[in-house]
Amino acid sequence: MRPEMLTALSALVVALVTAVGGIVTAVIGRRAPRVPRGQQRRDDFTVVTDRMEREITRQGEKIDELEAEAERDRARITAQDFAIRYLAGWARSLVGYMRRQQLEPPPPPQPVPEEVRPFLHDVGM
């Protein structure tokens, strides 16, 4: 081979390697994030922090709702307790009145359920 031919072939190889290198660089450049990795991590942290703040706010609202519901339930149970105690006292006074009149009060319409028995002590029965 003549030296001119070797020079031409080496120039062709250099041109091909340069072209392939340029293509690879372009592909890698397109894939690379447009934002530096450190900035991307800060952006991810901000997104996660914002999402956590929204979730914490939502959980706080849910807790407030549950506390309000529990307070309503306590008030309702207290009112029901008062009503049951009132009715038990009234029934006791009626039974006492009937016995003073020498009458026998009617028996309860059905036996007291087992679930109710522990609570009868609370209303004085």
Side-chain angles (χ1 to χ4, degrees), residues 32-105:
R34 292 178 177 24
V35 180
R37 185 64 186 148
Q39 179 64 38
Q40 190 174 11
R41 285 190 183 127
R42 281 192 293 276
D43 292 345
D44 290 346
F45 179 76
T46 304
V47 168
V48 169
T49 304
D50 291 344
R51 191 176 306 147
M52 285 175 57
E53 284 181 14
R54 285 193 304 269
E55 184 63 23
I56 289 170
T57 302
R58 189 183 71 78
Q59 291 292 332
E61 291 170 356
K62 180 77 170 176
I63 289 171
D64 291 343
E65 289 173 14
L66 291 173
E67 286 175 348
E69 184 179 333
E71 186 60 37
R72 285 191 304 272
D73 289 346
R74 273 193 290 276
R76 191 182 80 238
I77 289 170
T78 301
Q80 289 172 346
D81 179 52
F82 180 77
I84 290 171
R85 287 178 189 271
Y86 172 76
L87 291 173
W90 186 52
R92 243 182 277 116
S93 70
L94 286 176
V95 168
Y97 176 78
M98 290 177 80
R99 287 197 174 137
R100 280 193 304 274
Q101 298 296 323
Q102 298 177 345
L103 298 171
E104 187 60 34

